[in-house]
């Protein structure tokens, strides 16, 4: 293979692709950490119940972990929904403030232009 036949470096990924992959990795790591925490809590619970058989302890651990992950999923979904609503509210408010600011700037520019024209008119009339 000659140097001309070798493929060049790959183009950098689109920024949104990088964020998407990073978000997926972060989500995976958070889920993994949450699962480990739930399993530790279930093991601590089972340790306080010494009369459980091994099978019962495994069952309790599985049920506790599933319930805990379900609650975590619900809490995260509620947080994401709230963030989405807040983003919409903030974007609407930003657009409203931006329109008001543009109107004020247009009004000020109009007043300045009118003053400039009036001043020029008076200067020409005074000659």
């Amino acid at each position: 293979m000659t140097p001309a036949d070798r493929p060049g470096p790959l183009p950098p990924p689109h920024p949104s692709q990088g964020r998407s992959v990073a978000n997926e990795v972060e989500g995976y790591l958070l889920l993994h950490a949450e699962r480990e925490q739930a399993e530790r809590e279930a093991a601590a619970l089972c340790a306080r119940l010494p009369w459980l058989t091994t099978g019962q302890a495994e069952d309790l651990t599985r049920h506790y972990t599933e319930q805990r992950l379900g609650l975590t999923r619900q809490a995260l979904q509620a947080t994401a929904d709230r963030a989405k609503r807040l983003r919409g509210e903030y974007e609407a408010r930003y657009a409203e403030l931006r329109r008001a600011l543009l109107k004020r700037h247009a009004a000020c520019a109009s007043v300045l232009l009118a003053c400039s024209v009036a001043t020029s008119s008076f200067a020409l009339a005074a000659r």
Side-chain angles (χ1 to χ4, degrees):
M1 179 183 277
T2 66
D5 295 335
R6 289 190 193 130
L10 293 175
H14 191 271
S16 66
Q17 288 174 329
R19 282 191 299 267
S20 176
V21 170
N23 288 340
E24 285 184 39
V25 169
E26 181 183 23
Y28 172 80
L29 292 174
L30 288 172
L31 176 65
H32 186 70
E34 187 68 21
R35 180 179 301 279
E36 286 180 346
Q37 179 65 29
E39 289 172 351
R40 279 193 300 271
E41 290 173 7
L45 176 62
C46 290
R48 290 190 307 238
L49 306 172
W51 60 85
L52 293 177
T53 65
T54 303
Q56 290 172 329
E58 288 171 357
D59 238 11
L60 181 61
T61 299
R62 184 176 48 80
H63 285 295
Y64 181 88
T65 302
E66 286 175 6
Q67 183 178 7
R68 169 74 184 276
L69 291 177
L71 291 172
T72 300
R73 190 176 297 112
Q74 288 175 351
L76 289 174
Q77 188 61 52
T79 301
D81 292 345
R82 177 72 177 137
K84 193 179 215 180
R85 284 193 306 274
L86 283 175
R87 181 183 179 108
E89 291 173 17
Y90 285 131
E91 286 176 350
R93 181 67 177 142
Y94 174 78
E96 180 184 321
L97 291 172
R98 188 170 182 213
R99 280 191 299 276
L101 184 63
L102 288 173
K103 286 179 184 177
R104 288 181 190 150
H105 277 79
C108 286
S110 297
V111 168
L112 286 174
L113 181 62
C115 289
S116 175
V117 168
T119 303
S120 296
S121 298
F122 286 133
L124 288 175
R127 282 188 194 186

